[in-house]
Amino acid sequence: MRNFTNKNEARRFKADVNSFGTVIIHRRNPYIVACWSMAFPGFGHLLLEKYVQGLLLVLWEVFVNQQTHLNRAMVYSFTGEIESAKAVLDVRLLFLYIPVYLFSIWDSYRTTVDLNKIAVLVEREDGPFNTFSINATGINYLEKRNPLVTFLWVLTIPSMGQLYLHRIVLAFFSLTWAVVFIYHSYLLEGIHYLILGNVEKSTSVLDAQWLSYIPSYYFFTIYEAYTNTVEYNKLFEKEQKNYLKSHYQSPNFTLKKGQKVT
């Protein structure tokens, strides 16, 4: 059940609140989106709410990266061990990786530019949309949330911020990959030995191939959750303003500059 029945009278809608999350169209910086695609193919599309395309690109990135040992080769090259980088790198799939990588950057930039144009039209049309959804799969509603609380939760484990925002699809995706990356990189085991003061053992147990995924992935979940909290708050204030105007304000009411209101 929803509190608004969409009759498709408007050409475009700003948002949709359903049991799996809230999807919203708003203006974004295309360069920032492209940079996230550069950091990890698929992240830019996830920021644009294009979940299927984003998840496919992330799966492709991990699969090809694992097959070519690209992360391990990059670690060797950063430390000056060029010969070791050449030895570990498998070039059989590397040339398939490059065009997909470039496509993810280009397509996320192009899509952001197009969505920004649509966002302007959406704001002008200002079509109504549902703000409350309840069914057998759950309850979701538009509300104001504290961006600082989102930031603090997502610092703990990737996906906690997304769960706080009721972004179920992205939360499940984030938590699944967090477990995969942390488990195969032996990150927690390395931290355990580091706390005990055994730095050499801590360094030796880490797997550089899997560990290299974590920084971009971790900071992406922080950025995504925080920015969406801010945008949800803007959407809530806009919807609340429209509701109060339509239900409690006389259509003949005008406020002129310098006029005293009693």
Side-chain angles (χ1 to χ4, degrees), residues 70-233:
L70 180 61
N71 281 347
R72 194 182 300 275
M74 290 173 63
V75 171
Y76 283 133
S77 64
F78 290 156
T79 56
E81 302 179 43
I82 306 300
E83 294 303 320
S84 297
K86 292 179 180 179
V88 76
L89 190 63
D90 188 341
V91 298
R92 287 179 297 174
L93 289 175
L94 186 61
F95 293 107
L96 292 178
Y97 175 86
I98 296 173
V100 177
Y101 179 77
L102 295 177
F103 169 81
S104 68
I105 299 172
W106 171 81
D107 188 61
S108 62
Y109 178 90
R110 177 197 63 82
T111 305
T112 307
V113 173
D114 288 342
L115 284 176
N116 284 347
K117 296 176 183 177
I118 295 176
V120 174
L121 298 175
V122 164
E123 291 172 2
R124 292 178 180 177
E125 190 169 3
D126 202 14
F129 58 91
N130 65 295
T131 58
F132 182 90
S133 175
I134 179 171
N135 54 40
T137 58
I139 304 172
N140 189 24
Y141 50 90
L142 193 61
E143 67 168 333
K144 234 181 168 181
R145 295 176 174 90
N146 190 335
L148 179 60
V149 173
T150 304
F151 176 75
L152 293 176
W153 273 118
V154 79
L155 279 178
T156 58
I157 300 176
S159 77
M160 294 298 102
Q162 284 71 24
L163 282 176
Y164 175 59
L165 297 176
H166 199 86
R167 295 171 65 81
I168 304 302
V169 175
L170 200 55
F172 176 78
F173 161 82
S174 302
L175 185 58
T176 301
W177 280 113
V179 172
V180 171
F181 292 153
I182 291 173
Y183 178 81
H184 287 286
S185 66
Y186 298 93
L187 176 62
L188 296 182
E189 187 176 348
I191 294 175
H192 171 73
Y193 287 120
L194 183 63
I195 293 174
L196 295 178
N198 193 342
V199 179
E200 183 177 353
K201 181 68 173 178
S202 174
T203 305
S204 63
V205 298
L206 295 176
D207 189 323
Q209 174 64 29
W210 286 97
L211 187 65
S212 299
Y213 294 118
I214 294 179
S216 57
Y217 176 79
Y218 183 68
F219 287 110
F220 167 76
T221 57
I222 296 174
Y223 175 83
E224 193 275 339
Y226 182 87
T227 54
N228 273 294
T229 306
V230 174
E231 293 301 328
Y232 284 1
N233 288 346

Side-chain angles (χ1 to χ4, degrees), residues 27-47:
R27 281 176 280 188
R28 300 173 175 88
N29 189 325
Y31 295 105
I32 292 178
V33 175
C35 285
W36 278 115
S37 291
M38 192 181 302
F40 205 115
F43 281 0
H45 292 83
L46 291 176
L47 286 175

